[in-house]
Amino acid sequence: MTSTISSTLDLADIQGGILHPRPSPYVGAYLLLRIDDRRDGRELMRRLAAVVTPAADWTPGRDAWLNVAVTYRGLAALGVPDASLATFAPEFREGMAARADRLGDVGVNAPERWEHPLGTSDVHVALAVIARAPARLAELLEQARVAQEELPGVRLVWRQDCYALPTEREAFGFRDGISHPAVEGSGIPGSNPQEAPVKTGEFLTGYVDETGDLAPVPQPDVLGRNGTYLVFRKLHQDVAGFRRYLRAHSATQADEELLAAKLVGRWRSGAPLAISPDHDDPELGADPSRNNDFRYRDADERGLRCPVGSHIRRMNPRDAVVTGEVRLHRMIRRGTSYGPPLPEGELADDGADRGLCFVFVGAHLDRQFEFVQTQWAGDGRAFGAPDEVDPLIGPNDGAGVLTIPARPIRRRLTDLPRFVTTRGGEYCFAPSLSGLRWLAELSD
Amino acid sequence: MSQATYTTTVKSGKGSRHGVVSELSAFLAIKPGEADELRAGLERFHARVRKAPWEVIAKIGIVDMKHVIFDDGTRLCWNTAFDTDWDPYIDDAVAILGADAWTDWLQHTVGYETEDLSTGAAIKRYLQSAQCPATGFYRAIPDLTLTQVKQGQEVMTAFEEVLDTPGAAEALQNPVFKPLLDKAAG
């Protein structure tokens, strides 16, 4: 079945996961591969080009979807010429681990503490396989295993299962995956009707972006155009610690829910504080036509509803006055949960690994992902609060601060601990389908 | 479609920082005979910044800015300071004020060709090439952002209004207000 979306882009050439929100619920797996023999690696690219889901075929009626991305070392392992490798973005060439200091991946987040083989030279190809049902996923993974046996020069080095619950809740209990921008020319609507579509070049290589510039396209064009950069990060969430913090700072269950909402900017249902400041509104939270339909400037400039320092306001300040031009720092996120949910009401850590597989999609690693990570999540100067960082994902150390504007007087938290720890990640490039075919046809 | 040759990703790492504020110092050569046009362009640029609403200045994060033409009209020194780091926000500064506002004066400096340098990425690369690290950078109040200074100003105005209200002295006797009462004497 082919999509009927009206688009000016070549949707048959663009990987579907770049432009389309994921279906929900689903089960999936991230697979990381190492290429030991470039001929087998190229054969892998040829086979993937035939089965990757293009944006044109990314329809709700499907039962499975596949996307692929390649690291810088992966491109080198495939034998991409040096002259071509040199045309990729410097951040991508360096890789995530090499940029740890800049990203704030230090201390407990440092690459030397990451899960093996994340951040090492073994990570070459990343596959995201998702399906509606576990049985279909198992079938796909079996097909992949058989295919891999035929390609001994390609090794599976890591697998992370993931899922989106029917409730779409992430590990802390909040509805996730609500907000995504419209990409100009894609014909796919964004989730905020009050946000104009963002220029194509913000999310796809080879198009004019929000600066009015045509950023450098990795060369040759057939490899670099219609692709995008992709950031993968495995983020451990201390769910028990989060719950204990809420409990220790609240007098009642209702207080706990309000405090949780103030940290995040949304109630657990997904209902935004900007629209429903005093109580949760599950109907609003579940309504995709309304749950992201808001801005800050007119009704909530001071953050009396949604704190200026809350997580979602940092990730996307919308029309609020902050240092920076917001449209230059938009991100497409394709995050998904991993690990068993902590049973409801449990306050003790059970030792299980759970959290978020964060995926960023965008054409500008530096001024999108790295900017938001360092300037808006890891720093408070842009918001006029240099002592504060993101209360949910920021590097708080037990003395983290969050100001919660309120009448008659504001509340100030001064003992925020770290709730999220980086377990590893990598920068990848997701080529177009013709880019994959070009990689397949490389010769020594 | 032409292929841009500039990258937005290179960081100069040349700006010094004191507290929350970072600085940029750049030295540019003036095209022969164009000092007067440069001067006029800079006057327009500064007038534009001065007239800009507070929200625009806050979005750019610009703390101060000065341009000095020296060496008999052959060179330009540009010193400016920002609430944030300079490098990550230059694209924003160009986009917010508009590339035309920058080109209006930058076009009179050597190496700046308007047909090539009309985008944020290009302007950033050009400025970085002229940037020099400050040997010393000092701000008397280094730990406050513009937004905090503005908030402090508003709080002071509100406090003065309280002090001008009959009954203020009595109301401030409540022990809760002791830190404010200590500031109320003048």
Side-chain angles (χ1 to χ4, degrees):
Chain A
M1 182 174 158
T2 299
S3 167
T4 54
I5 288 168
S6 168
S7 172
T8 56
L9 305 177
D10 184 0
L11 297 183
D13 194 39
I14 299 166
Q15 293 199 50
I18 296 171
L19 297 175
H20 287 276
R22 293 224 173 110
S24 184
Y26 70 82
V27 289
Y30 292 102
L31 307 176
L32 297 181
L33 309 173
R34 178 191 160 94
I35 298 168
D36 293 320
D37 179 328
R38 62 178 54 175
R39 283 163 305 181
D40 281 357
R42 291 165 184 167
E43 174 60 17
L44 174 72
M45 294 295 123
R46 190 187 65 77
R47 294 183 183 194
L48 286 170
V51 292
V52 157
T53 315
D57 295 344
W58 191 278
T59 57
R62 294 181 69 92
D63 62 359
W65 297 261
L66 172 69
N67 281 127
V68 59
V70 188
T71 66
Y72 180 73
R73 289 195 178 95
L75 292 176
L78 286 163
V80 171
D82 288 347
S84 170
L85 291 173
T87 61
F88 283 83
E91 306 79 33
F92 170 72
R93 301 205 305 264
E94 281 189 49
M96 188 186 287
R99 296 176 71 80
D101 285 349
R102 181 184 296 265
L103 288 168
D105 284 334
V106 296
V108 294
N109 283 349
E112 48 270 29
R113 304 181 69 152
W114 287 0
E115 192 174 311
H116 189 76
L118 301 175
T120 72
S121 57
D122 284 344
V123 180
H124 294 166
V125 179
L127 297 180
V129 189
I130 62 176
R132 284 250 181 247
R136 181 72 176 116
L137 178 68
E139 198 177 297
L140 287 169
L141 292 173
E142 177 58 17
Q143 284 173 13
R145 192 190 61 77
V146 171
Q148 195 206 327
E149 276 180 2
E150 295 167 11
L151 301 173
V154 177
R155 279 194 295 134
L156 176 68
V157 291
W158 190 76
R159 170 178 167 171
Q160 177 65 62
D161 290 347
C162 60
Y163 57 87
L165 294 171
T167 57
E168 298 180 49
R169 305 293 177 100
E170 50 71 69
F172 288 140
F174 293 83
R175 180 186 295 274
D176 199 14
I178 292 173
S179 180
H180 61 93
V183 180
E184 194 172 274
S186 72
I188 302 165
S191 57
N192 182 357
Q194 300 187 52
E195 181 183 48
V198 180
K199 291 284 183 197
T200 315
E202 292 297 306
F203 299 109
L204 283 174
T205 46
Y207 297 85
V208 172
D209 62 32
E210 286 285 334
T211 69
D213 192 17
L214 181 67
V217 183
Q219 294 297 301
D221 258 7
V222 64
L223 173 64
R225 197 172 146 78
N226 280 335
T228 196
Y229 291 103
L230 192 144
V231 174
F232 170 78
R233 273 164 93 77
K234 181 176 177 180
L235 301 174
H236 172 78
Q237 293 174 254
D238 180 5
V239 178
F242 183 69
R243 291 178 184 172
R244 285 197 304 272
Y245 186 84
L246 298 177
R247 180 66 53 88
H249 293 75
S250 308
T252 65
Q253 175 68 27
D255 284 353
E256 264 186 56
E257 291 307 301
L258 179 61
L259 180 58
K262 291 291 187 184
L263 295 178
V264 172
R266 292 183 186 273
W267 300 91
R268 291 186 202 260
S269 72
L273 284 173
I275 299 177
S276 183
D278 301 321
H279 55 82
D280 196 0
D281 182 346
E283 206 172 297
L284 168 64
D287 183 350
S289 73
R290 294 191 296 140
N291 64 13
N292 204 36
D293 184 6
F294 64 93
R295 297 197 287 185
Y296 295 116
R297 186 98 178 261
D298 291 339
D300 195 28
E301 189 175 1
R302 292 173 61 188
L304 284 158
R305 294 177 171 208
C306 180
V308 172
S310 64
H311 175 61
I312 69 160
R313 199 154 165 167
R314 285 173 179 270
M315 293 294 102
N316 177 15
R318 301 178 189 231
D319 64 336
V321 176
V322 301
T323 314
E325 176 55 57
V326 173
R327 289 174 67 82
L328 299 183
H329 311 292
R330 297 290 284 120
M331 305 196 294
I332 290 177
R333 291 173 62 248
R334 301 273 183 251
T336 186
S337 297
Y338 76 87
L342 187 67
E344 202 67 38
E346 181 59 60
L347 294 179
D349 187 16
D350 61 359
D353 189 17
R354 63 173 60 84
L356 192 77
C357 290
F358 169 92
V359 173
F360 154 90
V361 175
H364 306 273
L365 287 170
D366 64 331
R367 77 170 158 75
Q368 294 173 320
F369 169 70
E370 291 195 347
F371 178 96
V372 174
Q373 178 76 17
T374 59
Q375 301 297 319
W376 287 352
D379 196 317
R381 287 179 290 169
F383 303 92
D387 298 332
E388 302 184 21
V389 299
D390 191 302
L392 196 69
I393 66 167
N396 288 306
D397 56 2
V401 179
L402 175 68
T403 303
I404 302 174
R407 294 187 196 282
I409 60 171
R410 59 95 179 109
R411 181 177 187 185
R412 178 164 284 166
L413 304 174
T414 57
D415 60 352
L416 281 162
R418 179 189 301 274
F419 296 123
V420 173
T421 307
T422 308
R423 286 281 160 85
E426 194 47 275
Y427 289 163
C428 305
F429 181 72
S432 63
L433 273 69
S434 37
L436 289 172
R437 287 190 284 269
W438 184 86
L439 289 170
E441 287 158 16
L442 282 169
S443 57
D444 288 321
Chain B
M1 190 180 283
S2 66
Q3 165 73 48
T5 52
Y6 309 111
T7 173
T8 59
T9 53
V10 176
K11 306 290 189 293
S12 77
K14 289 176 182 168
S16 298
R17 183 167 158 177
H18 186 196
V20 301
V21 182
S22 64
E23 64 81 37
L24 176 143
S25 303
F27 295 89
L28 299 153
I30 300 169
K31 287 177 181 169
E34 297 189 21
D36 287 342
E37 289 165 282
L38 172 64
R39 194 171 284 110
L42 283 169
E43 284 170 4
R44 285 189 293 274
F45 188 72
H46 277 256
R48 187 167 182 152
V49 172
R50 283 192 179 216
K51 275 191 292 191
W54 163 253
E55 291 77 12
V56 171
I57 300 304
K59 282 178 79 169
I60 303 172
I62 193 162
V63 173
D64 59 40
M65 177 173 68
K66 70 181 170 191
H67 289 85
V68 181
I69 293 173
F70 66 110
D71 271 0
D72 294 328
T74 60
R75 299 180 72 197
L76 170 69
C77 169
W78 177 26
N79 296 111
T80 189
F82 294 84
D83 261 354
T84 53
D85 296 321
W86 148 255
D87 276 324
Y89 286 93
I90 177 58
D91 289 320
D92 306 64
V94 172
I96 292 165
L97 285 175
D100 290 353
W102 295 82
T103 298
D104 190 29
W105 60 274
L106 282 169
Q107 64 179 312
H108 302 296
T109 59
V110 174
Y112 193 93
E113 304 304 332
T114 51
E115 61 270 29
D116 293 334
L117 290 161
S118 58
T119 67
I123 290 173
K124 178 178 182 176
R125 191 185 71 107
Y126 176 69
L127 293 179
Q128 282 179 334
S129 70
Q131 193 181 354
C132 290
T135 305
F137 175 54
Y138 169 80
R139 285 187 62 79
I141 303 177
D143 296 325
L144 296 178
T145 65
L146 287 177
T147 301
Q148 288 176 301
V149 170
K150 187 87 172 167
Q151 284 167 347
Q153 199 176 32
E154 289 169 3
V155 168
M156 195 173 78
T157 302
F159 186 51
E160 293 292 342
E161 199 179 317
V162 169
L163 296 183
D164 288 339
T165 306
E170 191 184 347
L172 288 172
Q173 295 303 319
N174 186 318
V176 168
F177 294 130
K178 186 172 185 309
L180 287 179
L181 192 61
D182 290 345
K183 300 287 179 194

